[in-house]
Amino acid sequence: MADKILMGHGSGGRMMHRLVRDLIAPAFGMTTLADAALFDFPAGGRPAVTTDSYVVSPIFFPGGDIGELAVCGTVNDLAMMGARPLCLTAGFILEEGLLLEDLKRVVSSMAETARRAGVSIVAGDTKVVDRGKCDAIFINTAGVGVVPEGLDLSPERILAGDAVIVSGPCGSHGIAIMAERNGLSFDPPLVSDTAPLNGLVELMLEQAEGIRVLRDPTRGGLATTIKEIAVEGSRRIVLEEKSVPVLPGVQGACGLLGLDPLYVANEGVLLGIVDGAEAESLVQAMHSHPLGGSAAVVGLVGEEEDGKVILSTIAGGTRLLDMLTGEQLPRIC
Amino acid sequence: MADKILMGHGSGGRMMHRLVRDLIAPAFGMTTLADAALFDFPAGGRPAVTTDSYVVSPIFFPGGDIGELAVCGTVNDLAMMGARPLCLTAGFILEEGLLLEDLKRVVSSMAETARRAGVSIVAGDTKVVDRGKCDAIFINTAGVGVVPEGLDLSPERILAGDAVIVSGPCGSHGIAIMAERNGLSFDPPLVSDTAPLNGLVELMLEQAEGIRVLRDPTRGGLATTIKEIAVEGSRRIVLEEKSVPVLPGVQGACGLLGLDPLYVANEGVLLGIVDGAEAESLVQAMHSHPLGGSAAVVGLVGEEEDGKVILSTIAGGTRLLDMLTGEQLPRIC
């Protein structure tokens, strides 16, 4: 086998079969990776489906890579619906000239992350485009999951008095990518938070009955996600800047790069709006989970039905938060 | 709104929300296109999932475009399992500078094709990459379908005496793309056969009990697909070249371009291995369907368990057919 991706690897013919048989399928513990596959759907519960394409640059970054990201992002989209992930598909777009060694590293990382999340990759597809027509590798993952009967997470369910919680320190993914892209290194190193959140969500759903909505604040960061919820739920939300966990290194790098950590992407952090009466006990329970060690209450849902988000700043003032405008950090995921 | 895709359209912030709200979602008849969605799964039957990324170049070609292709390809992958398609997801990777008008044309075409196939697009994702890092637009579609209880299509079920049938003229898609890409025009024009085959498959499953396996011979063409089945089913297959329907214009263009229509991609043709006793009546029934007008018996499964495919040529000779080697027609889908 050549050591690089050639156009023939996308032909549908012998070279593609060999690439799938010898490199991709073995990483997933299979003899082949089918175009389409049957899967088991448990009795009870409602099926949910999601998709995401990943175009992160560079494909390897501190704390993760595009393969880990592609599995976590899609698992997390399902988890935010309260769905237990059942299976994933993987669609690869490969650039002619990509090192097979790099592809192998990416698919191994996908397989390892899928194991960690307890989900199977069951079907896939491989396309190759001419050099200069993509950027090393793009991956799409779609996922199917099952939402337990009776569970309905939606911004429309948020109520005055509900609390806003986050599961971990914010902004780490975006800053790790930006640092890598700009050749900056920090001590201690800043690493992406990329992680599958489905286990943490299961724990949360066992602990609390009053979980209204869960979201993973990826592109656009915490601020954009809270604004979306406020608008969709027609409620005002007040966010306490001082309560939002941000690692000191991330805070410092944000200052250096002129970025606001509230708008920087996360890939292993969730935001929840929960019954105010349950918030503290839920946060305590989350502290027992490896991904919930910094969980904190960071805000409150108000009476006003205006969809505004007010930041109560560390300096003691207030300001309106809106969705991210323009593009702060391109190709972060 | 600008008339072109900008990096900000992939930000996760305000510009992306507007693009989805004002251009993508309306084409699909929705107010927004969610990251993830619930869908209904019928009682009985087994769920199946598939994925394909589409990187065809050019994105508009005679007889279709990348949007139509992205819906048909994934619907067809499900149909080839005998699955009724239930829902699709759509992941877009857009190149900075893409005309919004072109994007609109592509998503409208996806919506129209989904209606034709009777399937809904329920969830999506939009990424933007810098100019020169993809090629106008790449689309991934994943699909979920339901396979009727008791139906099991698999190459392992093929038997000596089974017949090989094709549903329509071969090679039209690949030749239409190659002609467009090379600035060749033909009279009458050569158009892609891109079409959703699920309706035809439903008709076939109603008509015949002895359908062993269905495949859509896309990349690699009819020859590669038959070889796959022969190997997976451990049977020899004899293909009658003179019985394979090929449009005269496609045959002529293949001669001109030095291509063998048996290795040229199809996007609206299926190949079936069926009980020999039912083949003729099934082909007759297929003639009543708009996509089955040229359906024909083109070959036979032999006694030998060697996985060979023998072509009985028009000239009266025989030759071994293998999978496509190298890359004949890059980026055909």
Side-chain angles (χ1 to χ4, degrees):
Chain A
M1 193 147 68
D3 66 341
K4 286 182 183 154
I5 287 292
L6 306 173
M7 291 304 289
H9 286 121
S11 65
R14 182 172 294 280
M15 284 176 72
M16 194 179 85
H17 277 80
R18 287 192 177 154
L19 179 73
V20 172
R21 184 192 68 191
D22 298 341
L23 192 152
I24 298 178
F28 298 144
M30 297 191 280
T31 53
T32 189
L33 186 59
D35 291 349
L38 292 168
F39 63 99
D40 291 320
F41 193 81
R46 291 168 304 160
V49 66
T50 187
T51 187
D52 256 315
S53 295
Y54 300 85
V55 298
V56 64
S57 170
I59 60 172
F60 302 106
F61 49 81
D65 59 61
I66 191 171
E68 182 180 4
L69 194 62
V71 171
C72 291
T74 294
V75 162
N76 291 349
D77 276 353
L78 289 172
M80 295 310 118
M81 299 187 82
R84 181 164 60 83
L86 295 174
C87 65
L88 298 184
T89 61
F92 298 95
I93 300 175
L94 309 176
E95 185 182 13
E96 181 188 20
L98 175 71
L99 292 176
L100 292 186
E101 198 182 297
D102 284 350
L103 177 60
K104 198 167 176 177
R105 207 173 136 193
V106 168
V107 293
S108 299
S109 173
M110 290 180 79
E112 164 56 27
T113 309
R115 268 191 294 275
R116 191 149 50 106
V119 66
S120 300
I121 296 168
V122 297
D125 173 56
T126 308
K127 295 290 190 303
V128 177
V129 296
D130 342 38
R131 188 188 280 265
K133 296 295 183 186
C134 90
D135 195 6
I137 176 168
F138 299 155
I139 302 177
N140 176 284
T141 49
V144 181
V146 55
V147 180
E149 203 66 63
L151 182 66
D152 174 29
L153 301 178
S154 155
E156 285 154 28
R157 294 186 57 232
I158 69 175
L159 298 171
D162 283 351
V164 181
I165 59 174
V166 296
S167 63
C170 291
S172 302
H173 176 71
I175 288 300
I177 299 277
M178 287 309 285
E180 179 71 12
R181 214 183 275 167
N182 293 299
L184 303 173
S185 60
F186 296 89
D187 186 23
L190 303 180
V191 296
S192 168
D193 59 340
T194 305
L197 292 163
N198 53 322
L200 181 62
V201 169
E202 269 186 46
L203 177 148
M204 293 172 68
L205 291 172
E206 277 164 21
Q207 285 292 325
E209 296 207 334
I211 297 180
R212 320 290 191 204
V213 60
L214 296 173
R215 290 277 168 95
D216 56 335
T218 56
R219 283 181 290 175
L222 199 64
T224 300
T225 302
I226 293 185
K227 177 67 181 174
E228 282 170 18
I229 295 173
V231 169
E232 290 169 32
S234 301
R235 285 282 174 184
R236 181 177 296 189
I237 295 178
V238 179
L239 187 64
E240 284 287 342
E241 189 173 23
K242 72 170 186 303
S243 309
V244 176
V246 180
L247 294 174
V250 170
Q251 191 75 63
C254 277
L256 197 71
L257 296 163
L259 298 172
D260 181 343
L262 294 177
Y263 286 95
V264 176
N266 311 280
E267 292 290 344
V269 170
L270 67 79
L271 171 88
I273 312 269
V274 305
D275 184 342
E278 289 184 301
E280 275 306 333
S281 63
L282 179 59
V283 160
Q284 289 305 318
M286 289 168 73
H287 288 166
S288 71
H289 191 280
L291 296 173
S294 311
V297 174
V298 299
L300 203 70
V301 177
E303 293 283 351
E304 301 84 347
E305 301 185 348
D306 57 9
K308 286 184 176 167
V309 178
I310 314 283
L311 183 71
S312 174
T313 68
I314 290 170
T318 60
R319 66 180 166 96
L320 272 179
L321 288 187
D322 205 341
M323 286 186 195
L324 176 65
T325 52
E327 176 55 300
Q328 194 183 53
L329 301 169
R331 298 185 54 195
I332 215 71
C333 63
Chain B
M1 192 148 67
D3 66 343
K4 286 182 183 150
I5 287 293
L6 306 172
M7 290 306 288
H9 285 121
S11 66
R14 184 172 292 280
M15 285 176 72
M16 194 180 86
H17 277 80
R18 287 193 176 153
L19 178 72
V20 172
R21 186 192 67 192
D22 298 340
L23 191 152
I24 298 177
F28 298 144
M30 297 191 280
T31 54
T32 189
L33 186 60
D35 291 350
L38 292 169
F39 64 98
D40 292 318
F41 193 81
R46 290 168 304 160
V49 67
T50 187
T51 187
D52 257 315
S53 296
Y54 299 86
V55 298
V56 66
S57 169
I59 60 172
F60 301 107
F61 49 81
D65 59 61
I66 191 171
E68 183 181 4
L69 194 61
V71 171
C72 291
T74 294
V75 162
N76 292 350
D77 276 353
L78 289 172
M80 295 310 117
M81 298 188 82
R84 181 164 60 82
L86 295 173
C87 64
L88 298 184
T89 61
F92 297 96
I93 300 175
L94 308 176
E95 185 182 11
E96 183 187 19
L98 175 72
L99 291 177
L100 292 186
E101 199 182 297
D102 284 348
L103 177 60
K104 200 167 175 176
R105 210 174 133 193
V106 167
V107 292
S108 299
S109 172
M110 290 180 79
E112 163 56 26
T113 309
R115 267 190 295 275
R116 193 148 51 104
V119 66
S120 300
I121 297 168
V122 297
D125 173 55
T126 308
K127 295 290 189 306
V128 177
V129 295
D130 341 39
R131 189 189 280 264
K133 297 294 183 187
C134 87
D135 194 6
I137 176 168
F138 297 155
I139 303 176
N140 176 284
T141 49
V144 181
V146 55
V147 180
E149 202 68 62
L151 183 66
D152 174 29
L153 301 178
S154 153
E156 285 155 29
R157 294 186 56 232
I158 69 174
L159 298 171
D162 283 351
V164 181
I165 59 174
V166 296
S167 63
C170 291
S172 301
H173 176 71
I175 288 299
I177 300 278
M178 286 309 285
E180 179 71 12
R181 212 183 276 166
N182 293 298
L184 303 174
S185 61
F186 296 89
D187 185 23
L190 301 180
V191 297
S192 168
D193 59 340
T194 305
L197 292 163
N198 54 322
L200 180 62
V201 169
E202 270 186 45
L203 177 149
M204 291 172 68
L205 291 172
E206 279 164 21
Q207 285 292 325
E209 297 210 330
I211 298 180
R212 320 289 190 205
V213 60
L214 297 172
R215 289 277 168 94
D216 57 334
T218 56
R219 285 180 289 175
L222 198 64
T224 300
T225 302
I226 293 184
K227 177 66 181 174
E228 282 169 20
I229 296 173
V231 169
E232 291 170 33
S234 301
R235 284 282 175 185
R236 181 177 295 188
I237 296 178
V238 179
L239 187 65
E240 283 288 341
E241 190 173 23
K242 72 171 186 301
S243 308
V244 177
V246 180
L247 294 174
V250 170
Q251 190 75 63
C254 277
L256 197 71
L257 295 162
L259 297 172
D260 181 343
L262 293 178
Y263 286 96
V264 176
N266 311 279
E267 291 290 345
V269 171
L270 68 78
L271 171 89
I273 312 270
V274 305
D275 185 340
E278 288 184 302
E280 274 306 331
S281 63
L282 179 59
V283 160
Q284 289 305 316
M286 291 168 73
H287 289 165
S288 71
H289 191 280
L291 296 173
S294 312
V297 174
V298 299
L300 202 70
V301 178
E303 293 284 350
E304 300 84 348
E305 302 186 345
D306 57 8
K308 287 186 178 168
V309 178
I310 314 283
L311 183 71
S312 175
T313 68
I314 290 170
T318 60
R319 65 179 167 96
L320 272 179
L321 288 186
D322 205 341
M323 288 188 193
L324 177 65
T325 52
E327 175 56 300
Q328 192 182 52
L329 301 168
R331 296 183 58 194
I332 215 72
C333 62

